[in-house]
Amino acid sequence: MSERKVLNKYYPPDFDPSKIPKLKLPKDRQYVVRLMAPFNMRCKTCGEYIYKGKKFNARKETVQNEVYLGLPIFRFYIKCTRCLAEITFKTDPENTDYTMEHGATRNFQAEKLLEEEEKRVQKEREEEELNNPMKVLENRTKDSKLEMEVLENLQELKELNQRQANVDFESMLKQYKDYEEERKRRELEEDETEMKAMLEQAQSRRFLEDSDSDEEAVQVPSRSALKMKPTDILQEDMEPQSKKLKTESWERSVGKLNSKSQLAGLVTVKKQTPGSTTANGVGKQTTLQSSDAGSWSSSLPAVTQPPSAAQGSSLSLLGAYSDSEDSTSD
């Protein structure tokens, strides 16, 4: 058994290819091919539009007795998508395009028709000039006249446009340049004025600050001069503030002992009598001592004393006071 995927076939030794019968196919045989519509067309039967690129299962055949430079021309048969009418077109190797034959009309063909017409006229002219030299001269004169007319028409159009638009570009550029210069000059002036204003404001602020500092310097010595007098130093209390607070609190709690105003009413002056000289002398001495002590204590600043010293001084005063009463009772 031979293999399934083998490519080489077995040929027996007595094989004769000439004995194989040949198929006789017609020359206009048709093949089924898959293609796309080469251009836009419209069906003549139903008016359906068939656009370029639409796919069809077409039949292809070779056109008989039509050859362009040895190239065969093919014809294609398709059916309308709406009414199934048959549409045929064939290849055009001369213009590298397709030609519509039957069943539809080609759309957007005006430009192509115009180009074909121009080519036909140009071809006829070349054939005439080839055999008739006078025709060549006539065509040249016609071309020169036509060119002159075109130039004249162009010049007239330019003059008409200039009359309608009377625009001087040089003056426009000059005006724009002047405007730019004026704008720059104005900006510089504004900057200068702004700088001057800022400098003046800063100077005025500085002057005000200097004047305020001078006034404060003048006012401070005057106040000190008014406050300070030559005799104020004698009345000032040289003790620190802490001692003053201590004495004030002590005086509020115990009482002021060495002040004259508190003991002035307690001391009585003894009336002098001729019989009592020694007693009067002692009493007078004690009263004088007490009065002198009160005046001396009032003139001197108050000095804080410890509680023991304060009690001793108060006992001495009470003793002097009792002596003065005894002397008066005697």
Side-chain angles (χ1 to χ4, degrees):
M1 185 177 180
S2 64
E3 292 192 15
R4 184 170 60 87
K5 290 185 177 181
V6 70
L7 298 176
N8 295 325
K9 304 295 182 183
Y10 173 73
Y11 294 98
D14 57 347
F15 177 71
D16 187 6
S18 61
K19 294 180 179 179
I20 298 173
K22 293 183 180 180
L23 293 174
K24 293 182 180 180
L25 298 174
K27 293 183 180 179
D28 57 348
R29 183 185 174 187
Q30 294 181 352
Y31 301 92
V32 178
V33 294
R34 181 79 171 172
L35 58 79
M36 291 187 293
F39 46 80
N40 298 325
M41 63 185 81
R42 185 182 182 188
C43 180
K44 289 182 179 180
T45 305
C46 62
E48 179 72 13
Y49 286 97
I50 300 171
Y51 297 99
K52 180 179 179 180
K54 191 171 181 62
K55 293 183 179 180
F56 292 95
N57 292 324
R59 291 178 288 115
K60 184 186 81 168
E61 69 177 7
T62 305
V63 180
Q64 299 297 323
N65 302 325
E66 287 188 19
V67 177
Y68 177 75
L69 301 176
L71 297 174
I73 296 173
F74 301 101
R75 182 181 287 113
F76 299 95
Y77 298 89
I78 61 173
K79 290 184 179 181
C80 177
T81 57
R82 184 177 180 184
C83 64
L84 300 178
E86 193 174 53
I87 300 169
T88 61
F89 55 90
K90 61 181 180 180
T91 58
D92 186 9
E94 182 179 0
N95 300 316
T96 62
D97 199 2
Y98 291 85
T99 305
M100 194 73 210
E101 265 192 335
H102 174 72
T105 56
R106 185 171 179 175
N107 297 335
F108 307 109
Q109 205 173 1
E111 187 177 359
K112 184 180 179 181
L113 294 173
L114 182 61
E115 290 177 357
E116 290 178 355
E117 185 66 21
E118 288 178 354
K119 287 180 181 179
R120 186 182 62 78
V121 171
Q122 186 69 20
K123 189 175 182 180
E124 290 177 357
R125 182 177 176 178
E126 289 177 356
E127 289 177 356
E128 287 178 358
E129 291 177 354
L130 183 62
N131 300 323
N132 190 356
M134 293 299 294
K135 192 71 174 177
V136 176
L137 184 60
E138 289 178 359
N139 291 334
R140 286 180 182 176
T141 53
K142 285 180 181 179
D143 292 341
S144 63
K145 285 182 181 179
L146 182 62
E147 188 176 356
M148 292 295 291
E149 288 177 359
V150 169
L151 291 174
E152 288 177 359
N153 293 332
L154 184 61
Q155 188 66 26
E156 287 178 359
L157 290 173
K158 286 182 179 180
E159 291 177 357
L160 183 61
N161 291 333
Q162 287 180 359
R163 266 191 256 115
Q164 288 179 355
N166 293 322
V167 177
D168 190 3
F169 294 101
E170 293 181 358
S171 62
M172 289 176 63
L173 292 174
K174 187 176 180 181
Q175 289 179 1
Y176 181 73
K177 189 176 180 181
D178 295 340
Y179 170 74
E180 288 291 328
E181 291 178 355
E182 181 67 21
R183 186 174 63 81
K184 289 180 180 178
R185 187 179 60 80
R186 196 181 303 113
E187 288 179 356
L188 290 173
E189 290 180 355
E190 289 178 357
D191 293 341
E192 289 179 358
T193 53
E194 189 173 357
M195 289 293 292
K196 287 181 180 178
M198 291 173 68
L199 289 173
E200 290 178 357
Q201 188 176 3
Q203 288 179 358
S204 62
R205 191 181 299 168
R206 191 180 300 169
F207 290 152
L208 289 172
E209 291 177 357
D210 294 340
S211 62
D212 293 339
S213 61
D214 293 339
E215 289 177 358
E216 290 177 358
V218 169
Q219 290 175 2
V220 167
S222 63
R223 289 175 183 173
S224 61
L226 291 171
K227 183 179 179 182
M228 293 298 293
K229 292 181 180 179
T231 57
D232 290 341
I233 193 170
L234 299 175
Q235 298 178 0
E236 286 183 353
D237 193 0
M238 301 303 294
E239 293 182 356
Q241 190 71 16
S242 60
K243 291 185 177 181
K244 289 183 179 181
L245 294 173
K246 288 180 180 179
T247 54
E248 290 176 359
S249 62
W250 175 258
E251 289 173 357
R252 282 197 300 272
S253 62
V254 176
K256 195 170 183 181
L257 301 175
N258 296 328
S259 61
K260 183 179 179 181
S261 59
Q262 292 179 359
L263 300 176
L266 298 176
V267 178
T268 57
V269 180
K270 184 179 178 182
K271 295 180 180 181
Q272 295 181 1
T273 57
S276 60
T277 55
T278 56
N280 290 336
V282 173
K284 185 177 181 181
Q285 187 178 359
T286 54
T287 53
L288 288 173
Q289 287 177 357
S290 62
S291 62
D292 292 339
S295 63
W296 180 256
S297 63
S298 63
S299 63
L300 291 176
V303 179
T304 58
Q305 295 178 356
S308 61
Q311 289 177 2
S313 60
S314 60
L315 291 172
S316 63
L317 291 172
L318 289 173
Y321 176 70
S322 62
D323 293 339
S324 62
E325 285 186 350
D326 292 336
S327 60
T328 53
S329 62
D330 295 335

